[in-house]
Amino acid sequence: DTAVSQTPKYLVTQMGNDKSIKCEQNLGHDTMYWYKQDSKKFLKIMFSYNNKELIINETVPNRFSPKSPDKAHLNLHINSLELGDSAVYFCASSFTSREQYFGPGTRLTVT
Amino acid sequence: GESVGLHLPTLSVQEGDNSIINCAYSNSASDYFIWYKQESGKGPQFIIDIRSNMDKRQGQRVTVLLNKTVKHLSLQIAATQPGDSAVYFCAENISPSHASGGSYIPTFGRGTSLIVHP
């Protein structure tokens, strides 16, 4: 009965590769998000998405793109991975303007 | 308390003491505030929230205080337990009418590491 799930939990890859992280929520929420958490625990929002609107944090490189096949899924695709992309990525979901429920995180290591 | 800086602020307390974690927010248009707890290796977890038309809200062992005049938020944990050890984040949400595109983007503070000594 996991609320927000992400796969994989760990991802190790080389620079220049393209990878995807999957996220699913079974809470019936209308909004999903992707966050990046750096080594100092700073949480930075990357995207906010519902079936009406995609809000992109302007500091996010366009190598990152969210893809939503349906309301319950928001996948994160990353092109041409760089060393600085190494971080923990969290998916979250919520009803609009309410508290968010976070997934367990995906630790991405780029070598 | 939380602050912008290179290091994660840390609060160390003894088991049984009360803890107070502080947060300064930046946007006077923010109308909804949330505290999250992040345990090691896990995602942030909702603790308590408060709307801007309130100045205090209580939960089980936790109280959130909001001072809009100075844009300050605090989380008080009563009788702190070792299981409370975690990183605590405050987050502010701006109402859609104030944010670009009609939606909102929640903004998280830097986090405070709470260490509870038995």
Side-chain angles (χ1 to χ4, degrees), chain A residues 9 31 33 35 37-38 40-43 45 48 50 53 55-57 90 94-105, chain B residues 5-8 32 34 36 38 41-46 49 51 87 89 93 96 100-106 108-110:
Chain A
K9 187 166 177 63
T31 307
Y33 313 81
Y35 287 84
Q37 186 171 49
D38 62 21
K40 294 181 174 61
K41 298 293 188 183
F42 183 54
L43 265 172
I45 190 163
S48 167
N50 60 29
E53 193 167 18
I55 302 294
I56 303 172
N57 186 325
F90 287 101
S94 76
F95 291 114
T96 303
S97 301
R98 293 304 308 268
E99 73 276 13
Q100 295 166 52
Y101 291 76
F102 285 79
Chain B
L6 296 178
H7 302 288
L8 191 65
Y32 180 52
I34 309 165
Y36 292 90
Q38 185 178 21
K42 297 183 179 179
Q45 182 181 24
F46 169 80
D49 57 3
R51 297 233 172 243
V87 176
F89 294 94
N93 287 355
S100 61
S103 294
Y104 74 97
I105 296 181
F108 278 71
R110 286 215 58 103

Side-chain angles (χ1 to χ4, degrees), chain A residues 19-37:
Chain A
K19 290 293 179 185
S20 292
I21 307 172
K22 294 184 177 182
C23 177
E24 176 181 3
Q25 56 97 2
N26 61 7
L27 298 167
H29 288 159
D30 56 10
T31 307
M32 296 184 72
Y33 313 81
W34 277 104
Y35 287 84
K36 178 181 180 181
Q37 186 171 49

Side-chain angles (χ1 to χ4, degrees), chain A residues 66-97:
Chain A
K67 298 187 190 304
S68 180
D70 55 58
K71 270 184 64 172
H73 296 84
L74 184 67
N75 303 325
L76 181 66
H77 190 75
I78 316 168
N79 290 328
S80 304
L81 277 154
E82 300 177 357
L83 292 176
D85 297 333
S86 294
V88 180
Y89 291 84
F90 287 101
C91 175
S93 70
S94 76
F95 291 114
T96 303
S97 301

Side-chain angles (χ1 to χ4, degrees), chain B residues 44-59:
Chain B
Q45 182 181 24
F46 169 80
I47 303 174
I48 192 168
D49 57 3
I50 189 168
R51 297 233 172 243
S52 58
N53 60 354
M54 303 170 70
D55 53 22
K56 181 179 179 179
R57 191 163 187 221
Q58 287 185 292

Side-chain angles (χ1 to χ4, degrees), chain B residues 8-71:
Chain B
L8 191 65
T10 300
L11 175 65
S12 290
V13 301
Q14 290 295 129
E15 182 178 1
D17 287 352
N18 295 333
S19 302
I20 300 176
I21 300 171
N22 296 303
C23 177
Y25 64 94
S26 56
N27 197 319
S28 56
S30 297
D31 63 355
Y32 180 52
F33 304 87
I34 309 165
W35 280 99
Y36 292 90
K37 172 186 180 184
Q38 185 178 21
E39 296 175 284
S40 180
K42 297 183 179 179
Q45 182 181 24
F46 169 80
I47 303 174
I48 192 168
D49 57 3
I50 189 168
R51 297 233 172 243
S52 58
N53 60 354
M54 303 170 70
D55 53 22
K56 181 179 179 179
R57 191 163 187 221
Q58 287 185 292
Q60 188 178 20
R61 283 201 307 118
V62 294
T63 300
V64 56
L65 298 178
L66 174 63
N67 186 330
K68 293 182 288 293
T69 302
V70 295
K71 288 190 258 182

